[in-house]
Amino acid sequence: MWAKIMLLMLVMSSAVGATDLLFDKIKTVNITNNLGANIELNVHCKSKDNDLGQQLLPYKGFWYFKFHPNFWATTLFYCSMNWEQISHSFDIYVDARDNLKCDVCQWSIQATGPCRLNGTSQKYDICFPWNS
């Protein structure tokens, strides 16, 4: 009887260890201002639990943040982005979209919308429309 319980505990601890490896990975989001010369980008990113504050990025300037995606694979970070008299928002990290695509999610912010670095082409050719 005890041997079965010990075996079950060993199997469960192995499964928990594998789950930790899958969900404990640190992710990085890197945001670069590619709006054009002399245009500053004001970025304010948040999740449900974290407010990362406002960042002011000069042209070609970048800012990044790191985090651990949650166990339930529902991690979401969204950012408001403002420049000149223009204001938009975008979900900069969506677990279902980004988790398997990038450990370092690199974004180029352009007037037409954010574009993510394509690991295959090494170009910012995965582009999305603004949320608003």
Side-chain angles (χ1 to χ4, degrees):
M1 173 77 166
W2 284 107
K4 288 182 182 179
I5 292 173
M6 292 301 288
L7 181 60
L8 179 61
M9 289 176 65
L10 179 64
V11 168
M12 288 176 62
S13 68
S14 295
V16 168
T19 302
D20 287 346
L21 290 175
L22 287 173
F23 295 103
D24 198 34
K25 191 159 198 135
I26 295 175
K27 298 290 185 174
T28 302
V29 170
N30 185 329
I31 300 169
T32 301
N33 174 3
N34 282 310
L35 291 169
N38 300 319
I39 300 176
E40 291 184 325
L41 174 64
N42 187 9
V43 178
H44 189 177
C45 297
K46 299 178 182 183
S47 72
K48 183 178 85 172
D49 300 318
N50 298 295
D51 184 337
L52 304 178
Q54 291 193 15
Q55 308 296 322
L56 186 61
L57 306 180
Y59 177 58
K60 296 290 185 186
F62 70 91
W63 171 70
Y64 69 93
F65 61 93
K66 296 179 180 235
F67 62 95
H68 292 272
N70 66 34
F71 176 81
W72 300 274
T74 59
T75 301
L76 170 71
F77 279 92
Y78 55 95
C79 302
S80 60
M81 300 188 194
N82 307 290
W83 64 95
E84 297 178 328
Q85 301 300 316
I86 299 168
S87 179
H88 290 292
S89 66
F90 181 69
D91 297 338
I92 203 77
Y93 184 87
V94 178
D95 201 90
R97 180 191 69 203
D98 300 317
N99 190 9
L100 298 178
K101 301 289 184 189
C102 53
D103 290 331
V104 177
C105 301
Q106 297 186 56
W107 291 94
S108 170
I109 305 305
Q110 303 167 25
T112 55
C115 296
R116 191 178 67 212
L117 182 68
N118 183 330
T120 304
S121 71
Q122 290 301 301
K123 296 180 180 177
Y124 288 96
D125 57 12
I126 303 171
C127 299
F128 298 87
W130 294 108
N131 290 0
S132 62

